[in-house]
Amino acid sequence: MLKYLAARLLTFVPTFIGVTLISFAFIRLLPGDPIIVMAGERGMTEERYAELSAQLGFDRPIYVQFWEYLTGVLQGDLGQSFVTRRPVWDEFFSLFPATLELSIFAMIFALALGLPAGVIAAVNRGKFFDRALMSTALVGYSMPIFWWALLLIIIFSGQLGWTPVSGRIDLIYYFSNPTGFMVIDAIKSGQEGALASALRHLVLPAIVLGTIPLAVIARQTRSAMLEVLGEDYIRTARAKGLPPLRINGIHALRNALIPVITVIGLSVGTLLAGAILTETIFSWPGIGKWMVDSIFRRDYPVVQGGLLLIAVMVMLVNLTVDLLYGVINPKIRKR
Amino acid sequence: MSLLSVRNLSVSFATSAGVFKAVDSVDIKVDKGEILSIVGESGSGKSVSMLAVMGLLPWTATVTADEMIFDGHDLSMLSARQRRHIVGKDLAMIFQEPMSSLNPCFTVGWQIKEALRLHLGLDRRARHARAVELFELVGIPAPEKRLSAFPHQLSGGMNQRVMIAMAISCNPKLLIADEPTTALDVTIQAQILDLLTGLREETGMGLVLITHDMGVVAETAERVSVQYAGQKIEEQPVASLFRAPHHPYTAALLDALPERATDKRLPTIPGVVPGQFDRPAGCLFSPRCKYADDKCRAKPPPPLGGDLGYARCFYPLNTDERAAS
Ligand SMILES: Nc1ncnc2c1ncn2[C@@H]1O[C@H](COP(=O)(O)OP(=O)(O)OP(=O)(O)O)[C@@H](O)[C@H]1O
Ligand code: SF4
Ligand SMILES: [Mg+2]
C-alpha cells in the first residue's frame, strides 16, 4: 500500500513539471502586455515602462524567467500578484473554500439525484421512466452551462424572486474568524437567517455546476446497474427472498458504485472547469472567478500559479479516488 | 400430498429471433424428504424449469403451468411479497457457479446473516451463533474467522459450502441444487454430495439434484427425471431406470456409461440437442434415435403411462421386462 502510494506520488513529478511549463507558457502566449493592461487608459512613458519591465523581470530571457519561476515553485513560492501585491498562495487559499463549498454542494446535488435516478432507470429498463430520464440526461449533458444558468436565473431569481443572483450571502451578515465556508460560518455565528441566506445563494450555482456531473452519474449508474443486475449474485439475492429495494439499493448498487466512483473522480476536473464559468456568471468569489479576472488583467503569477494549484488539486483528488476504489472494491484491497 | 407438484410447466423466452420454448410441458413431483434427480444434456431446460419454480427467471421469460403447488401454496397465485416469505425460507436453491453466486462486495458472514435476520428475525448475537453453527454443519473450518472473509478469498469448494449453508440457514423444506459440483474438483464434488445427502438425512428436507453426471444419479437419487430439449422424456425410480430404461435416449445415456469413468460427464451420443431453429416436427429425439422411423418423424409422441416411466416414445424399450416382473 505504501509502496503503491509512493509510486503514484512519483508519477506526479513529470506531470507537475509539465503543468508548470504549460501554465507558464499559456498566459504568455495570450496577446496583451500586463504592463500596458495595468497602465490602463492613462498610458505610460517609455522610461516608466522600462522601469516596470525590469522590476517584474520581463527584461531577462524567457528561459531565465521560467527557471526562476520553477525554482521558486519548488521552494513553495508562487510569487505575488501584479495587481494586489499579495502572494498567490495566500489569495488561492482565501478563495479556495468558496470554490470547494460550491463544488461540494454541486456534487451532493448530482449524487443525491443521479444515483437513485440511475438505479430506478436500470431497474425499469426500457420503460417510460428510463427513456425519459436518459433523454433528459442527454439534454443535461449537452446543455451550455451559460444558457442553463441564465434560464434558472430568469425563472427563480427574476420571475419567482426566490434566489439572489450573485454573491455568497446577504451583506448584512458579518463573520469574525471565518473558515471561508459560508454554510459553516453561518451555523457557527448563530445569527438568525444567516444559514438560510447562505443556502439561498448557494442553490442555483450548485445546480448549474452539478448538472453535467448529474447527467454523467445518472448514465453511468444506470449502465453499471444494468451490468450488475445480470450477475449471478443478484439471482442469489432474489433466491434469498430479499425485497427489491434491498436487492437493488444494496446488493446491486454497492457493486455498481465501483465504476461510478471512477467517473466521479474523473468529473472533478470537469467540475473545476465548470466552476470557472459558474462563478463568473454568479459573481461567486472563488478560484474560477479569480482565474478569469486574472487572465483579463494578464496577472501572470496568479494565472500560472492558480493553474498549477488547480492541477495539483485534480491530481490529488484522482489519487484519493484511486485509494477509495480499493476501499470500495474488496477484490483490489486484499490482493 | 407431495411437497412440490408442478403440472404442465412451460417456459418461453422472447429472443431477438422470436419465441424460444426452453421448457415444454414438464411435470415435476417431489415428496417430503425425497431426492429427485433431473438429468439431461446441456440446454435441456433443467435449470430453467427449476428457476421457474423459484420465480427467478428474467423478465424475457413467460412461464405457464396448470399447477405449481409447493407445501400447500399455489406459487402462481401468490403476490411477490407472499412469495418472498416462502422463497429463501422453505424453498431454497444453490447454483452451478459458487464463485459468481456470492456478492463480491460483502463478507460471507454478512451474506448469511442477512437471510437469518430477514426470515427468522434473529437478533445480532443469535445470528452470529447460528451462522457459526451453520458453517460448522457444512464443514467450513475455523468458522469464526471465515465469517469475515470475502468470497474471492475462499476456494470454490468453500464458496459452495457457504452457498449451501446460506440455502439451509432457514431450514428449507425443499432444496434445489443446480449442478452444485460441476465447477469443483473431483474430490470436493464427493464431499459436497455427501454433505447434501447427509443434510437430507438430518433435516428431512426434500432435495432436487440437477446433474450431468449419471454416476451421481446412481449414488444419490431415489427418483430420476430425464429431460431432453425442454421435455421430460422419462421418469423412474433410480433402480428400475438403470435396469430397464424405456426411452431410447435414456438407454443411450446408460449404454455409453462405461466410458464415463474418464471424464464423469454425460456420455456422448452422436448429434446435438435441437435448439431454437432445428426443432424436428415429430419426436424431438428422432434425428439422433437409432429406432426412428417415419411415424417418429411425422408427429411427436405423447407421454406413456406411469408403468412405462411416462416415456415420450412410440416404441418404448424393455416392455417385456415389465411383463415379466
Ligand atoms: N434468459 C434466457 N434467454 C433465452 N434463452 C435462455 C435463457 N436462459 C436459458 N435459455 C435457453 O434455455 C435452454 C435451456 O437452458 P437451461 O439453462 O435450462 O439448460 P440446462 O439443462 O440447465 O443446461 P446446463 O446443463 O448447461 O446447465 C437453453 O437452450 C438456453 O439457451
Ligand atoms: S419416438 Fe421414435 S424417434 Fe422418438 S425416441 Fe421413440 S423411437 Fe426414437
Ligand atoms: Mg443449468
Side-chain angles (χ1 to χ4, degrees):
Chain A
M1 187 70 203
L2 273 178
K3 239 182 173 169
Y4 174 73
L5 197 64
R8 277 299 305 265
L9 286 174
L10 212 63
T11 65
F12 276 13
V13 175
T15 321
F16 186 82
I17 295 178
V19 171
T20 315
L21 182 60
I22 290 171
S23 57
F24 181 83
F26 159 73
I27 185 70
R28 282 170 176 77
L29 287 176
L30 286 183
D33 183 323
I35 301 177
I36 304 284
V37 174
M38 260 190 276
E41 305 269 294
R42 287 171 286 136
M44 72 175 51
T45 60
E46 298 261 317
E47 295 80 59
R48 177 71 184 137
Y49 183 91
E51 188 189 332
L52 269 177
S53 193
Q55 194 186 337
L56 297 174
F58 292 161
D59 54 344
R60 279 166 303 160
I62 193 87
Y63 58 87
V64 175
Q65 292 182 39
F66 178 66
W67 180 249
E68 282 183 353
Y69 173 57
L70 189 63
T71 47
V73 165
L74 291 179
Q75 290 160 29
D77 177 15
L78 292 176
Q80 43 180 255
S81 162
F82 287 166
V83 181
T84 63
R85 306 275 166 199
R86 285 177 62 208
V88 171
W89 196 254
D90 290 1
E91 293 220 322
F92 183 85
F93 281 101
S94 67
L95 294 172
F96 186 62
T99 301
L100 190 60
E101 183 173 48
L102 175 60
S103 305
I104 288 174
F105 275 82
M107 216 52 190
I108 290 175
F109 165 75
L111 284 172
L113 291 185
L115 286 180
V119 171
I120 296 173
V123 171
N124 298 294
R125 131 185 237 182
K127 301 207 185 117
F128 176 76
F129 180 85
D130 182 27
R131 284 156 197 266
L133 191 89
M134 284 309 111
S135 336
T136 317
L138 196 64
V139 174
Y141 188 71
S142 38
M143 181 142 45
I145 287 193
F146 197 75
W147 184 85
W148 175 226
L150 285 184
L151 186 73
L152 288 179
I153 290 175
I154 289 171
I155 296 175
F156 291 102
S157 310
Q159 302 287 323
L160 299 168
W162 289 351
T163 54
V165 196
S166 70
R168 298 181 69 192
I169 197 159
D170 291 335
L171 291 176
I172 52 169
Y173 300 103
Y174 171 79
F175 306 126
S176 48
N177 286 328
T179 59
F181 295 93
M182 215 41 104
V183 170
I184 296 178
D185 289 337
I187 294 173
K188 250 182 29 186
S189 79
Q191 292 174 49
E192 205 185 319
L195 180 61
S197 170
L199 289 177
R200 247 185 299 116
H201 282 77
L202 196 49
V203 62
L204 279 196
I207 290 176
V208 167
L209 184 55
T211 296
I212 288 179
L214 165 62
V216 173
I217 288 171
R219 285 163 55 115
Q220 186 65 38
T221 306
R222 174 182 179 271
S223 68
M225 279 292 290
L226 281 181
E227 193 167 327
V228 167
L229 285 176
E231 294 283 347
D232 285 352
Y233 52 79
I234 297 301
R235 185 180 58 192
T236 306
R238 290 205 289 141
K240 280 157 93 174
L242 301 174
L245 194 64
R246 195 172 167 88
I247 296 175
N248 298 323
I250 294 180
H251 283 255
L253 182 60
R254 180 61 212 273
N255 285 276
L257 273 184
I258 296 171
V260 171
I261 290 278
T262 320
V263 167
I264 293 174
L266 290 179
S267 63
V268 167
T270 328
L271 204 67
L272 286 177
I276 295 185
L277 205 55
T278 312
E279 289 181 359
T280 311
I281 298 168
F282 289 95
S283 310
W284 189 268
I287 301 295
K289 186 167 180 301
W290 178 57
M291 283 279 82
V292 172
D293 293 347
S294 305
I295 289 171
F296 282 122
R297 293 186 201 126
R298 300 293 184 273
D299 195 343
Y300 287 6
V302 169
V303 175
Q304 62 200 16
L307 284 179
L308 184 62
L309 287 173
I310 290 175
V312 169
M313 213 60 96
V314 171
M315 289 194 280
L316 286 178
V317 169
N318 284 345
L319 179 66
T320 315
V321 168
D322 264 10
L323 299 181
L324 201 62
Y325 195 85
V327 172
I328 206 154
N329 187 353
K331 275 194 192 170
I332 290 187
R333 194 184 339 160
K334 306 255 176 72
R335 188 132 28 145
Chain B
M1 200 185 71
S2 39
L3 182 60
L4 177 70
S5 167
V6 178
R7 274 200 303 117
N8 199 13
L9 172 73
S10 296
V11 180
S12 331
F13 288 104
T15 69
S16 48
V19 174
F20 171 55
K21 203 162 195 179
V23 177
D24 186 2
S25 355
V26 166
D27 297 337
I28 305 159
K29 254 190 173 40
V30 189
D31 286 329
K32 279 198 175 75
E34 185 191 28
I35 303 185
L36 169 72
S37 186
I38 304 182
V39 286
E41 284 165 285
S42 202
S44 53
K46 306 182 297 290
S47 302
V48 170
S49 52
M50 280 303 144
L51 290 171
V53 171
M54 292 287 289
L56 294 179
L57 287 171
W59 58 274
T60 48
T62 312
V63 179
T64 57
D66 291 350
E67 180 185 273
M68 194 149 39
I69 291 180
F70 170 74
D71 194 28
H73 305 278
D74 187 343
L75 292 179
S76 51
M77 299 299 285
L78 296 180
S79 69
R81 176 187 293 264
Q82 288 169 319
R83 188 187 262 270
R84 287 203 298 271
H85 283 296
I86 296 173
V87 169
K89 184 166 181 286
D90 294 336
L91 179 58
M93 182 160 178
I94 55 181
F95 305 97
Q96 197 162 341
E97 280 293 336
M99 291 312 262
S100 59
S101 293
L102 287 163
N103 195 320
C105 280
F106 299 98
T107 64
V108 293
W110 186 93
Q111 297 187 54
I112 193 169
K113 288 174 189 171
E114 181 182 38
L116 294 172
R117 188 178 66 195
L118 180 78
H119 292 296
L120 306 181
L122 299 181
D123 65 29
R124 200 186 173 79
R125 188 177 292 170
R127 282 204 298 273
H128 186 77
R130 173 77 176 143
V132 171
E133 181 186 53
L134 282 163
F135 272 24
E136 268 164 5
L137 189 64
V138 298
I140 296 178
E144 290 271 2
K145 222 179 91 196
R146 288 290 190 287
L147 281 176
S148 54
F150 286 94
H152 69 275
Q153 295 168 319
L154 303 176
S155 66
M158 278 302 146
N159 273 319
Q160 193 60 294
R161 281 171 206 265
V162 171
M163 281 297 292
I164 295 172
M166 214 154 79
I168 62 168
S169 62
C170 305
N171 295 316
K173 293 176 179 159
L174 179 65
L175 176 64
I176 301 171
D178 186 356
E179 308 193 27
T181 59
T182 321
L184 306 178
D185 289 345
V186 183
T187 46
I188 315 286
Q189 288 184 9
Q191 291 174 13
I192 297 283
L193 286 170
D194 285 348
L195 171 62
L196 286 173
T197 46
L199 286 171
R200 199 272 307 238
E201 299 296 325
E202 269 171 59
T203 63
M205 68 186 179
L207 184 60
V208 173
L209 187 65
I210 300 179
T211 179
H212 270 128
D213 189 336
M214 274 295 188
V216 169
V217 175
E219 280 161 38
T220 51
E222 290 161 352
R223 215 149 38 80
V224 186
S225 161
V226 184
Q227 266 184 228
Y228 184 77
Q231 291 184 333
K232 182 173 87 175
I233 50 103
E234 176 160 13
E235 182 193 314
Q236 284 209 61
V238 65
S240 57
L241 182 99
F242 275 80
R243 193 183 47 205
H246 295 306
H247 196 284
Y249 177 62
T250 318
L253 286 183
L254 294 172
D255 275 349
L257 206 51
E259 294 162 27
R260 180 183 57 86
T262 47
D263 75 345
K264 278 218 146 200
R265 289 298 167 89
L266 268 191
T268 41
I269 303 168
V272 290
V273 184
Q276 184 171 1
F277 304 106
D278 52 357
R279 270 175 106 79
C283 171
L284 291 178
F285 189 53
S286 58
R288 302 168 75 187
C289 180
K290 56 182 174 188
Y291 308 103
D293 64 7
D294 288 343
K295 181 180 178 190
C296 303
R297 283 183 276 268
K299 61 173 185 172
L304 300 167
D307 51 346
L308 283 170
Y310 310 97
R312 284 179 185 267
C313 177
F314 291 122
Y315 308 115
L317 307 172
N318 297 312
T319 46
D320 42 330
E321 168 140 349
R322 171 185 51 116
S325 60

